[in-house]
Amino acid sequence: MIVPGGQRTQAPRRFRLSFSRHAAMRAGMRCDLIIRDATILDGSGAPRRQSDVGVSGERIAAVGDLGAATAEREIIASGHALAPGFIDAHTHDDRAVLCGPECMLCKMSQGVTTVVVGNCGISLSPARMTTRPPPPLDLLGDESWWIFGSFGEYAERLARDPAPVNTVALIGHMSLRIEAMDGDTQRAATGAEAARMQARLAEALAEGAAGFSTGLYLPAQQYGADRRGDRGRRGAAPGGRALCHAHA
């Protein structure tokens, strides 16, 4: 992704690395795309450098001096930075990733190619709503958006209408809580309700969710039998992650 870039609305290409140190210097190389004279920041911590990048198909074929190589398309990137796509690790884009390229243009235009959704204990699944959800869940939209009774349903919708960015989805504590407690969240959960949250989290992780998130909406005394930390550890055990939005 070149910064500053053009006004592109299609999904960013997902390029994979496949080159050797000597491939970049190979005379007669033919690529689909060569980006020339870019300032490369490769994300490894190495110093920035001026170089060319050759792309064939969806693979980066060569990085280096490609003066002897040719391509179907070339971009002169002098004065521009070239870097791997950025990861926006804290978003509330649960709904936006379902709305098409236009909704993600604000991210793509800044070089973001991956977003993490479901932060702060707020996720669009697994919970259905027939009335407007209470704060903070209404951040993600009114009841017309709360139609995913499982993470699997949310993932199926995302697969059917792919987002123009990569999407990593967390399961929110508040979403689990409001479903398990039938909306009566201004109290401590019972043991049975906490068990229901744990089971729903395990189900979501099995269906492909990346982890579990908590936020700051509930006072600590209202967690009670939720045993937030215990559930977070259990959720992370199969390979998921537990993320907490907390103030120092």
Side-chain angles (χ1 to χ4, degrees):
M1 177 107 20
I2 297 175
V3 182
Q7 297 182 352
R8 57 186 290 182
T9 58
Q10 71 270 29
R13 301 286 296 278
R14 275 77 162 178
F15 295 124
R16 291 175 288 179
L17 293 175
S18 177
F19 60 89
S20 70
R21 183 179 300 274
H22 301 293
M25 308 302 174
R26 193 164 56 210
M29 171 178 263
R30 176 72 176 175
C31 300
D32 295 328
L33 168 68
I34 294 179
I35 303 172
R36 297 192 183 279
D37 196 32
T39 300
I40 295 179
L41 300 96
D42 64 13
S44 69
R48 66 181 65 192
R49 63 190 188 278
Q50 297 298 121
S51 192
D52 306 327
V53 176
V55 177
S56 294
E58 293 189 350
R59 291 183 179 273
I60 296 175
V63 177
D65 181 359
L66 301 182
T70 60
E72 181 178 336
R73 181 184 175 210
E74 296 193 2
I75 296 175
I76 305 302
S78 305
H80 296 270
L82 183 64
F86 304 136
I87 300 172
D88 192 343
H90 190 125
T91 83
H92 295 287
D93 291 339
D94 304 53
R95 181 181 71 176
V97 294
L98 303 176
C99 293
E102 294 76 13
C103 288
M104 286 287 101
L105 181 58
C106 60
K107 300 294 179 76
M108 292 188 292
S109 64
Q110 298 180 73
V112 172
T113 56
T114 300
V115 297
V116 181
V117 305
N119 282 287
C120 301
I122 309 166
S123 63
L124 205 53
S125 70
R128 289 195 178 99
M129 307 278 180
T130 56
T131 59
R132 186 176 182 85
L137 300 181
D138 59 351
L139 173 68
L140 300 181
D142 63 20
E143 64 273 17
S144 67
W145 285 98
W146 290 86
I147 57 176
F148 305 106
S150 69
F151 178 76
E153 292 178 6
Y154 180 81
E156 286 173 9
R157 167 68 183 276
L158 196 56
R160 187 172 70 247
D161 302 307
V165 294
N166 301 306
T167 302
V168 178
L170 305 173
I171 298 300
H173 169 236
M174 190 62 180
S175 300
L176 295 171
R177 183 176 167 87
I178 198 167
E179 184 206 42
M181 300 174 69
D182 198 24
D184 183 18
T185 58
Q186 298 305 306
R187 59 174 174 82
T190 66
E193 289 166 342
R196 169 68 173 166
M197 295 182 221
Q198 292 172 1
R200 290 289 272 159
L201 176 58
E203 177 186 83
L205 290 169
E207 292 172 340
F212 167 71
S213 74
T214 64
L216 297 171
Y217 184 72
L218 292 177
Q221 65 269 22
Q222 291 184 355
Y223 283 110
D226 287 29
R227 294 175 297 179
R228 174 178 56 168
D230 179 59
R231 186 173 61 259
R233 285 191 294 273
R234 292 189 191 187
R241 297 179 179 274
L243 290 83
C244 182
H245 183 170
H247 287 308

